[in-house]
mmCIF file of all heavy atoms in Angstrom:
data_model
loop_
_atom_site.group_PDB
_atom_site.id
_atom_site.type_symbol
_atom_site.label_atom_id
_atom_site.label_comp_id
_atom_site.label_asym_id
_atom_site.label_seq_id
_atom_site.Cartn_x
_atom_site.Cartn_y
_atom_site.Cartn_z
ATOM 1 N N CYS A 1 -8.134 0.342 6.316
ATOM 2 C CA CYS A 1 -8.560 -0.188 4.997
ATOM 3 C C CYS A 1 -9.280 -1.550 5.484
ATOM 4 O O CYS A 1 -8.518 -2.482 5.903
ATOM 5 C CB CYS A 1 -7.485 -0.415 4.107
ATOM 6 S SG CYS A 1 -7.877 -1.377 2.594
ATOM 7 N N ALA A 2 -10.479 -1.641 5.332
ATOM 8 C CA ALA A 2 -11.336 -2.813 5.671
ATOM 9 C C ALA A 2 -11.766 -3.533 4.474
ATOM 10 O O ALA A 2 -12.404 -2.956 3.567
ATOM 11 C CB ALA A 2 -12.464 -2.372 6.531
ATOM 12 N N ALA A 3 -11.562 -4.860 4.413
ATOM 13 C CA ALA A 3 -11.999 -5.639 3.296
ATOM 14 C C ALA A 3 -13.361 -6.288 3.675
ATOM 15 O O ALA A 3 -13.660 -6.695 4.728
ATOM 16 C CB ALA A 3 -11.042 -6.815 3.051
ATOM 17 N N SER A 4 -14.182 -6.289 2.541
ATOM 18 C CA SER A 4 -15.452 -6.899 2.650
ATOM 19 C C SER A 4 -15.703 -7.919 1.468
ATOM 20 O O SER A 4 -15.413 -7.578 0.348
ATOM 21 C CB SER A 4 -16.543 -5.870 2.589
ATOM 22 O OG SER A 4 -17.868 -6.518 2.573
ATOM 23 N N GLY A 5 -16.101 -9.098 1.818
ATOM 24 C CA GLY A 5 -16.256 -10.076 0.697
ATOM 25 C C GLY A 5 -15.135 -11.017 0.380
ATOM 26 O O GLY A 5 -15.192 -11.858 -0.339
ATOM 27 N N PHE A 6 -14.001 -10.689 1.051
ATOM 28 C CA PHE A 6 -12.805 -11.503 0.938
ATOM 29 C C PHE A 6 -11.895 -11.278 2.115
ATOM 30 O O PHE A 6 -12.191 -10.425 2.921
ATOM 31 C CB PHE A 6 -12.008 -11.269 -0.322
ATOM 32 C CG PHE A 6 -11.209 -9.922 -0.407
ATOM 33 C CD1 PHE A 6 -9.834 -9.938 -0.194
ATOM 34 C CD2 PHE A 6 -11.959 -8.759 -0.648
ATOM 35 C CE1 PHE A 6 -9.236 -8.645 -0.181
ATOM 36 C CE2 PHE A 6 -11.305 -7.524 -0.633
ATOM 37 C CZ PHE A 6 -9.907 -7.557 -0.364
ATOM 38 N N THR A 7 -10.918 -12.218 2.315
ATOM 39 C CA THR A 7 -9.986 -12.076 3.372
ATOM 40 C C THR A 7 -8.627 -11.605 2.917
ATOM 41 O O THR A 7 -8.220 -12.041 1.767
ATOM 42 C CB THR A 7 -9.913 -13.408 4.133
ATOM 43 O OG1 THR A 7 -9.460 -14.394 3.363
ATOM 44 C CG2 THR A 7 -11.220 -13.812 4.828
ATOM 45 N N PHE A 8 -7.987 -10.895 3.667
ATOM 46 C CA PHE A 8 -6.626 -10.263 3.278
ATOM 47 C C PHE A 8 -5.605 -11.440 3.149
ATOM 48 O O PHE A 8 -4.557 -11.149 2.461
ATOM 49 C CB PHE A 8 -6.206 -9.282 4.312
ATOM 50 C CG PHE A 8 -6.775 -7.975 4.157
ATOM 51 C CD1 PHE A 8 -6.815 -6.962 5.134
ATOM 52 C CD2 PHE A 8 -7.268 -7.548 2.830
ATOM 53 C CE1 PHE A 8 -7.408 -5.735 4.913
ATOM 54 C CE2 PHE A 8 -7.818 -6.269 2.645
ATOM 55 C CZ PHE A 8 -7.941 -5.338 3.749
ATOM 56 N N ASP A 9 -5.773 -12.487 3.874
ATOM 57 C CA ASP A 9 -4.785 -13.547 3.771
ATOM 58 C C ASP A 9 -4.498 -13.945 2.427
ATOM 59 O O ASP A 9 -5.418 -14.347 1.597
ATOM 60 C CB ASP A 9 -5.223 -14.737 4.594
ATOM 61 C CG ASP A 9 -4.137 -15.811 4.725
ATOM 62 O OD1 ASP A 9 -2.898 -15.468 4.746
ATOM 63 O OD2 ASP A 9 -4.501 -16.994 4.841
ATOM 64 N N GLY A 10 -3.233 -13.946 1.949
ATOM 65 C CA GLY A 10 -2.947 -14.258 0.583
ATOM 66 C C GLY A 10 -2.854 -13.120 -0.441
ATOM 67 O O GLY A 10 -2.580 -13.279 -1.575
ATOM 68 N N TYR A 11 -3.120 -11.874 0.031
ATOM 69 C CA TYR A 11 -3.136 -10.664 -0.672
ATOM 70 C C TYR A 11 -1.908 -9.722 -0.272
ATOM 71 O O TYR A 11 -1.555 -9.792 0.782
ATOM 72 C CB TYR A 11 -4.486 -9.898 -0.492
ATOM 73 C CG TYR A 11 -5.647 -10.472 -1.350
ATOM 74 C CD1 TYR A 11 -6.299 -11.553 -0.841
ATOM 75 C CD2 TYR A 11 -5.990 -9.875 -2.469
ATOM 76 C CE1 TYR A 11 -7.328 -12.130 -1.584
ATOM 77 C CE2 TYR A 11 -7.085 -10.371 -3.225
ATOM 78 C CZ TYR A 11 -7.768 -11.501 -2.786
ATOM 79 O OH TYR A 11 -8.879 -11.894 -3.426
ATOM 80 N N ALA A 12 -1.502 -8.922 -1.241
ATOM 81 C CA ALA A 12 -0.805 -7.747 -0.926
ATOM 82 C C ALA A 12 -1.711 -6.578 -0.795
ATOM 83 O O ALA A 12 -2.513 -6.397 -1.630
ATOM 84 C CB ALA A 12 0.349 -7.532 -1.989
ATOM 85 N N ILE A 13 -1.550 -5.851 0.237
ATOM 86 C CA ILE A 13 -2.388 -4.725 0.538
ATOM 87 C C ILE A 13 -1.485 -3.508 0.646
ATOM 88 O O ILE A 13 -0.473 -3.430 1.288
ATOM 89 C CB ILE A 13 -3.167 -4.852 1.900
ATOM 90 C CG1 ILE A 13 -3.864 -6.288 1.951
ATOM 91 C CG2 ILE A 13 -4.190 -3.803 2.025
ATOM 92 C CD1 ILE A 13 -4.855 -6.553 0.938
ATOM 93 N N GLY A 14 -1.986 -2.417 -0.012
ATOM 94 C CA GLY A 14 -1.107 -1.175 -0.028
ATOM 95 C C GLY A 14 -1.971 0.140 -0.104
ATOM 96 O O GLY A 14 -3.162 0.074 -0.168
ATOM 97 N N TRP A 15 -1.214 1.137 0.016
ATOM 98 C CA TRP A 15 -1.747 2.545 -0.033
ATOM 99 C C TRP A 15 -1.159 3.314 -1.150
ATOM 100 O O TRP A 15 0.092 3.343 -1.230
ATOM 101 C CB TRP A 15 -1.620 3.288 1.276
ATOM 102 C CG TRP A 15 -2.318 2.617 2.456
ATOM 103 C CD1 TRP A 15 -1.916 1.736 3.314
ATOM 104 C CD2 TRP A 15 -3.609 2.994 2.890
ATOM 105 N NE1 TRP A 15 -2.945 1.389 4.245
ATOM 106 C CE2 TRP A 15 -4.043 2.228 3.969
ATOM 107 C CE3 TRP A 15 -4.631 3.943 2.369
ATOM 108 C CZ2 TRP A 15 -5.250 2.360 4.521
ATOM 109 C CZ3 TRP A 15 -5.807 4.050 3.037
ATOM 110 C CH2 TRP A 15 -6.177 3.207 4.126
ATOM 111 N N PHE A 16 -1.988 4.012 -1.915
ATOM 112 C CA PHE A 16 -1.497 4.993 -2.862
ATOM 113 C C PHE A 16 -2.027 6.407 -2.419
ATOM 114 O O PHE A 16 -2.974 6.485 -1.678
ATOM 115 C CB PHE A 16 -1.983 4.655 -4.294
ATOM 116 C CG PHE A 16 -1.570 3.392 -4.869
ATOM 117 C CD1 PHE A 16 -2.063 2.123 -4.410
ATOM 118 C CD2 PHE A 16 -0.522 3.280 -5.765
ATOM 119 C CE1 PHE A 16 -1.576 0.959 -4.948
ATOM 120 C CE2 PHE A 16 -0.123 2.148 -6.263
ATOM 121 C CZ PHE A 16 -0.617 0.877 -5.896
ATOM 122 N N ARG A 17 -1.373 7.333 -3.038
ATOM 123 C CA ARG A 17 -1.926 8.713 -2.848
ATOM 124 C C ARG A 17 -1.788 9.543 -4.176
ATOM 125 O O ARG A 17 -0.955 9.248 -4.955
ATOM 126 C CB ARG A 17 -1.119 9.413 -1.732
ATOM 127 C CG ARG A 17 0.222 9.728 -1.862
ATOM 128 C CD ARG A 17 0.886 10.309 -0.678
ATOM 129 N NE ARG A 17 2.299 10.587 -0.752
ATOM 130 C CZ ARG A 17 3.067 11.085 0.112
ATOM 131 N NH1 ARG A 17 2.554 11.223 1.464
ATOM 132 N NH2 ARG A 17 4.300 11.338 -0.031
ATOM 133 N N GLN A 18 -2.627 10.459 -4.212
ATOM 134 C CA GLN A 18 -2.591 11.335 -5.446
ATOM 135 C C GLN A 18 -2.987 12.733 -5.110
ATOM 136 O O GLN A 18 -4.068 12.981 -4.442
ATOM 137 C CB GLN A 18 -3.526 10.850 -6.546
ATOM 138 C CG GLN A 18 -3.389 11.623 -7.928
ATOM 139 C CD GLN A 18 -3.983 10.852 -9.060
ATOM 140 O OE1 GLN A 18 -4.872 10.100 -8.884
ATOM 141 N NE2 GLN A 18 -3.450 11.097 -10.207
ATOM 142 N N ALA A 19 -2.085 13.699 -5.237
ATOM 143 C CA ALA A 19 -2.365 15.043 -4.964
ATOM 144 C C ALA A 19 -2.677 15.805 -6.309
ATOM 145 O O ALA A 19 -2.224 15.367 -7.420
ATOM 146 C CB ALA A 19 -1.102 15.702 -4.341
ATOM 147 N N PRO A 20 -3.371 16.832 -6.280
ATOM 148 C CA PRO A 20 -3.798 17.575 -7.465
ATOM 149 C C PRO A 20 -2.416 18.034 -8.267
ATOM 150 O O PRO A 20 -1.518 18.572 -7.782
ATOM 151 C CB PRO A 20 -4.453 18.876 -6.975
ATOM 152 C CG PRO A 20 -5.034 18.363 -5.662
ATOM 153 C CD PRO A 20 -4.012 17.552 -5.086
ATOM 154 N N GLY A 21 -2.566 17.685 -9.624
ATOM 155 C CA GLY A 21 -1.392 18.126 -10.428
ATOM 156 C C GLY A 21 -0.223 17.047 -10.375
ATOM 157 O O GLY A 21 0.844 17.301 -11.066
ATOM 158 N N LYS A 22 -0.341 16.077 -9.629
ATOM 159 C CA LYS A 22 0.818 15.170 -9.459
ATOM 160 C C LYS A 22 0.353 13.752 -9.806
ATOM 161 O O LYS A 22 -0.840 13.374 -9.786
ATOM 162 C CB LYS A 22 1.377 15.141 -8.011
ATOM 163 C CG LYS A 22 1.881 16.438 -7.605
ATOM 164 C CD LYS A 22 2.510 16.370 -6.219
ATOM 165 C CE LYS A 22 3.140 17.687 -5.718
ATOM 166 N NZ LYS A 22 3.709 17.495 -4.371
ATOM 167 N N GLU A 23 1.284 12.887 -10.144
ATOM 168 C CA GLU A 23 1.006 11.501 -10.540
ATOM 169 C C GLU A 23 0.610 10.699 -9.216
ATOM 170 O O GLU A 23 1.100 11.025 -8.196
ATOM 171 C CB GLU A 23 2.138 10.847 -11.321
ATOM 172 C CG GLU A 23 3.404 10.728 -10.497
ATOM 173 C CD GLU A 23 4.189 11.891 -10.378
ATOM 174 O OE1 GLU A 23 3.900 12.954 -10.817
ATOM 175 O OE2 GLU A 23 5.412 11.874 -9.985
ATOM 176 N N ARG A 24 -0.054 9.638 -9.420
ATOM 177 C CA ARG A 24 -0.307 8.673 -8.369
ATOM 178 C C ARG A 24 0.931 8.041 -7.895
ATOM 179 O O ARG A 24 1.792 7.704 -8.678
ATOM 180 C CB ARG A 24 -1.320 7.619 -8.839
ATOM 181 C CG ARG A 24 -1.754 6.705 -7.754
ATOM 182 C CD ARG A 24 -2.831 5.692 -8.206
ATOM 183 N NE ARG A 24 -4.082 6.448 -8.513
ATOM 184 C CZ ARG A 24 -5.134 5.997 -9.118
ATOM 185 N NH1 ARG A 24 -5.087 4.766 -9.631
ATOM 186 N NH2 ARG A 24 -6.219 6.681 -9.333
ATOM 187 N N GLU A 25 1.053 8.006 -6.594
ATOM 188 C CA GLU A 25 2.287 7.448 -5.972
ATOM 189 C C GLU A 25 1.895 6.336 -5.054
ATOM 190 O O GLU A 25 1.075 6.397 -4.168
ATOM 191 C CB GLU A 25 2.885 8.599 -5.197
ATOM 192 C CG GLU A 25 4.186 8.148 -4.411
ATOM 193 C CD GLU A 25 4.766 9.212 -3.455
ATOM 194 O OE1 GLU A 25 3.964 10.138 -3.071
ATOM 195 O OE2 GLU A 25 5.977 9.315 -3.227
ATOM 196 N N GLY A 26 2.719 5.236 -5.183
ATOM 197 C CA GLY A 26 2.592 4.244 -4.162
ATOM 198 C C GLY A 26 3.323 4.543 -2.881
ATOM 199 O O GLY A 26 4.485 4.759 -2.874
ATOM 200 N N VAL A 27 2.566 4.530 -1.784
ATOM 201 C CA VAL A 27 3.058 4.936 -0.506
ATOM 202 C C VAL A 27 3.661 3.914 0.358
ATOM 203 O O VAL A 27 4.730 3.911 0.946
ATOM 204 C CB VAL A 27 1.984 5.706 0.267
ATOM 205 C CG1 VAL A 27 2.456 6.161 1.665
ATOM 206 C CG2 VAL A 27 1.535 6.961 -0.507
ATOM 207 N N SER A 28 2.886 2.772 0.434
ATOM 208 C CA SER A 28 3.283 1.600 1.305
ATOM 209 C C SER A 28 2.499 0.373 0.907
ATOM 210 O O SER A 28 1.502 0.433 0.292
ATOM 211 C CB SER A 28 2.864 2.049 2.839
ATOM 212 O OG SER A 28 3.382 1.024 3.670
ATOM 213 N N CYS A 29 3.035 -0.783 1.248
ATOM 214 C CA CYS A 29 2.484 -2.032 0.990
ATOM 215 C C CYS A 29 2.914 -3.049 1.986
ATOM 216 O O CYS A 29 4.006 -2.906 2.625
ATOM 217 C CB CYS A 29 2.927 -2.531 -0.430
ATOM 218 S SG CYS A 29 2.236 -3.979 -0.983
ATOM 219 N N ILE A 30 2.070 -4.050 2.275
ATOM 220 C CA ILE A 30 2.453 -5.061 3.214
ATOM 221 C C ILE A 30 2.027 -6.418 2.536
ATOM 222 O O ILE A 30 0.930 -6.568 1.970
ATOM 223 C CB ILE A 30 1.697 -4.881 4.551
ATOM 224 C CG1 ILE A 30 2.172 -5.969 5.488
ATOM 225 C CG2 ILE A 30 0.198 -4.902 4.425
ATOM 226 C CD1 ILE A 30 1.787 -5.683 6.927
ATOM 227 N N SER A 31 2.840 -7.402 2.622
ATOM 228 C CA SER A 31 2.566 -8.698 2.183
ATOM 229 C C SER A 31 2.012 -9.560 3.329
ATOM 230 O O SER A 31 2.620 -9.634 4.369
ATOM 231 C CB SER A 31 3.940 -9.365 1.702
ATOM 232 O OG SER A 31 3.717 -10.762 1.468
ATOM 233 N N THR A 32 0.781 -10.198 3.076
ATOM 234 C CA THR A 32 0.203 -10.984 4.083
ATOM 235 C C THR A 32 0.871 -12.391 4.162
ATOM 236 O O THR A 32 0.581 -13.114 5.149
ATOM 237 C CB THR A 32 -1.204 -11.114 3.874
ATOM 238 O OG1 THR A 32 -1.503 -11.700 2.558
ATOM 239 C CG2 THR A 32 -1.932 -9.788 3.876
ATOM 240 N N SER A 33 1.778 -12.751 3.211
ATOM 241 C CA SER A 33 2.385 -14.086 3.325
ATOM 242 C C SER A 33 3.605 -14.080 4.254
ATOM 243 O O SER A 33 3.794 -15.040 4.978
ATOM 244 C CB SER A 33 2.864 -14.523 1.843
ATOM 245 O OG SER A 33 3.864 -13.572 1.362
ATOM 246 N N ASP A 34 4.394 -12.984 4.226
ATOM 247 C CA ASP A 34 5.550 -12.968 5.004
ATOM 248 C C ASP A 34 5.740 -11.746 5.948
ATOM 249 O O ASP A 34 6.620 -11.634 6.664
ATOM 250 C CB ASP A 34 6.819 -13.194 4.217
ATOM 251 C CG ASP A 34 7.072 -12.165 3.207
ATOM 252 O OD1 ASP A 34 6.360 -11.004 3.177
ATOM 253 O OD2 ASP A 34 7.831 -12.418 2.196
ATOM 254 N N GLY A 35 4.808 -10.795 5.767
ATOM 255 C CA GLY A 35 4.785 -9.590 6.601
ATOM 256 C C GLY A 35 5.718 -8.457 6.091
ATOM 257 O O GLY A 35 5.901 -7.495 6.663
ATOM 258 N N ASP A 36 6.456 -8.777 4.910
ATOM 259 C CA ASP A 36 7.315 -7.703 4.438
ATOM 260 C C ASP A 36 6.594 -6.485 4.166
ATOM 261 O O ASP A 36 5.426 -6.539 3.706
ATOM 262 C CB ASP A 36 8.145 -8.257 3.226
ATOM 263 C CG ASP A 36 9.235 -9.216 3.538
ATOM 264 O OD1 ASP A 36 9.491 -9.332 4.704
ATOM 265 O OD2 ASP A 36 9.711 -9.799 2.571
ATOM 266 N N THR A 37 7.259 -5.392 4.357
ATOM 267 C CA THR A 37 6.650 -4.112 4.085
ATOM 268 C C THR A 37 7.432 -3.278 3.056
ATOM 269 O O THR A 37 8.714 -3.460 3.001
ATOM 270 C CB THR A 37 6.435 -3.262 5.310
ATOM 271 O OG1 THR A 37 7.693 -3.152 6.056
ATOM 272 C CG2 THR A 37 5.389 -3.963 6.250
ATOM 273 N N TYR A 38 6.858 -2.243 2.495
ATOM 274 C CA TYR A 38 7.479 -1.388 1.535
ATOM 275 C C TYR A 38 7.012 -0.010 1.965
ATOM 276 O O TYR A 38 5.799 0.242 2.251
ATOM 277 C CB TYR A 38 7.185 -1.690 0.163
ATOM 278 C CG TYR A 38 7.340 -0.525 -0.814
ATOM 279 C CD1 TYR A 38 8.634 -0.214 -1.345
ATOM 280 C CD2 TYR A 38 6.240 0.256 -1.169
ATOM 281 C CE1 TYR A 38 8.736 0.933 -2.087
ATOM 282 C CE2 TYR A 38 6.430 1.355 -1.963
ATOM 283 C CZ TYR A 38 7.656 1.693 -2.488
ATOM 284 O OH TYR A 38 7.769 2.723 -3.293
ATOM 285 N N TYR A 39 7.874 1.025 1.848
ATOM 286 C CA TYR A 39 7.572 2.375 1.992
ATOM 287 C C TYR A 39 8.282 3.214 0.933
ATOM 288 O O TYR A 39 9.470 3.000 0.724
ATOM 289 C CB TYR A 39 7.930 2.922 3.404
ATOM 290 C CG TYR A 39 7.311 2.208 4.537
ATOM 291 C CD1 TYR A 39 8.015 1.094 5.038
ATOM 292 C CD2 TYR A 39 6.055 2.628 5.005
ATOM 293 C CE1 TYR A 39 7.428 0.532 6.136
ATOM 294 C CE2 TYR A 39 5.532 1.868 6.110
ATOM 295 C CZ TYR A 39 6.223 0.786 6.648
ATOM 296 O OH TYR A 39 5.623 0.192 7.742
ATOM 297 N N THR A 40 7.608 4.178 0.369
ATOM 298 C CA THR A 40 8.368 5.092 -0.482
ATOM 299 C C THR A 40 9.217 6.050 0.380
ATOM 300 O O THR A 40 8.991 6.256 1.635
ATOM 301 C CB THR A 40 7.326 6.022 -1.252
ATOM 302 O OG1 THR A 40 7.972 6.670 -2.358
ATOM 303 C CG2 THR A 40 6.602 6.947 -0.421
ATOM 304 N N ASP A 41 10.327 6.521 -0.236
ATOM 305 C CA ASP A 41 11.356 7.100 0.541
ATOM 306 C C ASP A 41 10.867 8.297 1.348
ATOM 307 O O ASP A 41 11.361 8.575 2.492
ATOM 308 C CB ASP A 41 12.595 7.551 -0.369
ATOM 309 C CG ASP A 41 13.368 6.441 -0.859
ATOM 310 O OD1 ASP A 41 13.345 5.327 -0.290
ATOM 311 O OD2 ASP A 41 14.182 6.655 -1.821
ATOM 312 N N SER A 42 9.914 9.040 0.785
ATOM 313 C CA SER A 42 9.524 10.254 1.434
ATOM 314 C C SER A 42 8.689 10.050 2.795
ATOM 315 O O SER A 42 8.593 11.004 3.520
ATOM 316 C CB SER A 42 8.662 11.129 0.412
ATOM 317 O OG SER A 42 7.423 10.359 0.172
ATOM 318 N N VAL A 43 8.297 8.847 2.981
ATOM 319 C CA VAL A 43 7.504 8.537 4.260
ATOM 320 C C VAL A 43 8.218 7.662 5.238
ATOM 321 O O VAL A 43 7.741 7.359 6.340
ATOM 322 C CB VAL A 43 6.133 8.018 3.912
ATOM 323 C CG1 VAL A 43 5.393 8.872 2.963
ATOM 324 C CG2 VAL A 43 6.186 6.579 3.457
ATOM 325 N N LYS A 44 9.405 7.079 4.829
ATOM 326 C CA LYS A 44 10.171 6.206 5.706
ATOM 327 C C LYS A 44 10.520 6.926 7.044
ATOM 328 O O LYS A 44 10.862 8.036 7.026
ATOM 329 C CB LYS A 44 11.393 5.772 5.017
ATOM 330 C CG LYS A 44 11.221 4.801 3.893
ATOM 331 C CD LYS A 44 12.525 4.282 3.319
ATOM 332 C CE LYS A 44 12.317 3.298 2.183
ATOM 333 N NZ LYS A 44 13.544 2.917 1.466
#
């Protein structure tokens, strides 16, 4: 995931996914302030 026109510093950046017939799901996220990460249980 490449940013254009802004810098990631100070942002939370994450990934979602959506499969046909299913709701959108938050997969993972990273905080640029402290490096903390999040993962949904199915991908840990």
Side-chain angles (χ1 to χ4, degrees):
C1 174
S4 178
F6 72 102
T7 58
F8 278 158
D9 187 34
Y11 282 77
I13 313 294
W15 293 91
F16 296 79
R17 66 186 181 186
Q18 188 161 26
K22 297 183 179 179
E23 67 273 12
R24 181 175 292 167
E25 176 187 26
V27 176
S28 185
C29 183
I30 186 166
S31 166
T32 60
S33 65
D34 58 16
D36 282 353
T37 57
Y38 158 83
Y39 302 93
T40 193
D41 286 344
S42 63
V43 308
K44 287 180 179 177

